[in-house]
Amino acid sequence: MRLAIASDHGAVALKEMLVPWLRENHEVVDLGTHGPASVDYPDYGYRLARAIAAGEADRGIVLCGSGIGISIAVNRNPACRCALVSEPLSAALAREHNDANVIALGARLIGEEMARACITRFLTTDFAGGRHQARVAKLASPDTAKESA
């Protein structure tokens, strides 16, 4: 599986721990940042989203201090379904029910072992399809959503 990974300065240390581990079994494109100098998380979220949309990676992992800001940036791209997760069950459900192709992790909120556990579930869980397929299709086409009664 081809993976893209990106982080801001608040998560670069976690990213640098994860990349060698990921490369043991996957092709990994590290989209930065590569040092502790302050950067803007949207730039790295957008960079990863473009890589997913262009087919340069099958799935993506984004990290920032909380995971919130960078996940918002990724989700601006309609080709991306990014879920902020903090434990393995959420990572699995993001894949199984939402066909998430990107996960976001908060480096200031979880440690390396929990990050690995989340990523493992994200990479090993299949999309269930079925009743979830139509809902996932609506995520890329908000105009198709029905008005609430």
Side-chain angles (χ1 to χ4, degrees), residues 55-89:
E56 297 167 5
D58 302 307
R59 296 208 193 138
I61 302 162
V62 291
L63 308 104
C64 71
S66 68
I68 297 168
I70 203 163
S71 68
I72 292 169
V74 171
N75 280 322
R76 299 272 187 211
N77 189 312
C80 295
R81 292 171 305 282
C82 180
L84 172 59
V85 302
S86 58
E87 38 69 38
L89 179 59

Side-chain angles (χ1 to χ4, degrees), residues 84-143:
L84 172 59
V85 302
S86 58
E87 38 69 38
L89 179 59
S90 293
L93 291 172
R95 284 286 310 133
E96 186 178 343
H97 291 186
N98 308 113
D99 198 18
N101 52 8
V102 181
I103 60 168
L105 301 166
R108 293 182 181 138
L109 306 175
I110 64 171
E112 182 182 2
E113 291 307 312
M114 184 58 74
R116 286 182 184 209
C118 291
I119 292 167
T120 297
R121 291 293 295 274
F122 172 68
L123 297 177
T124 59
T125 302
D126 292 326
F127 175 49
R131 64 189 172 98
H132 303 290
Q133 184 61 55
R135 296 171 185 151
V136 169
K138 286 183 178 184
L139 293 174
S141 302
D143 294 337

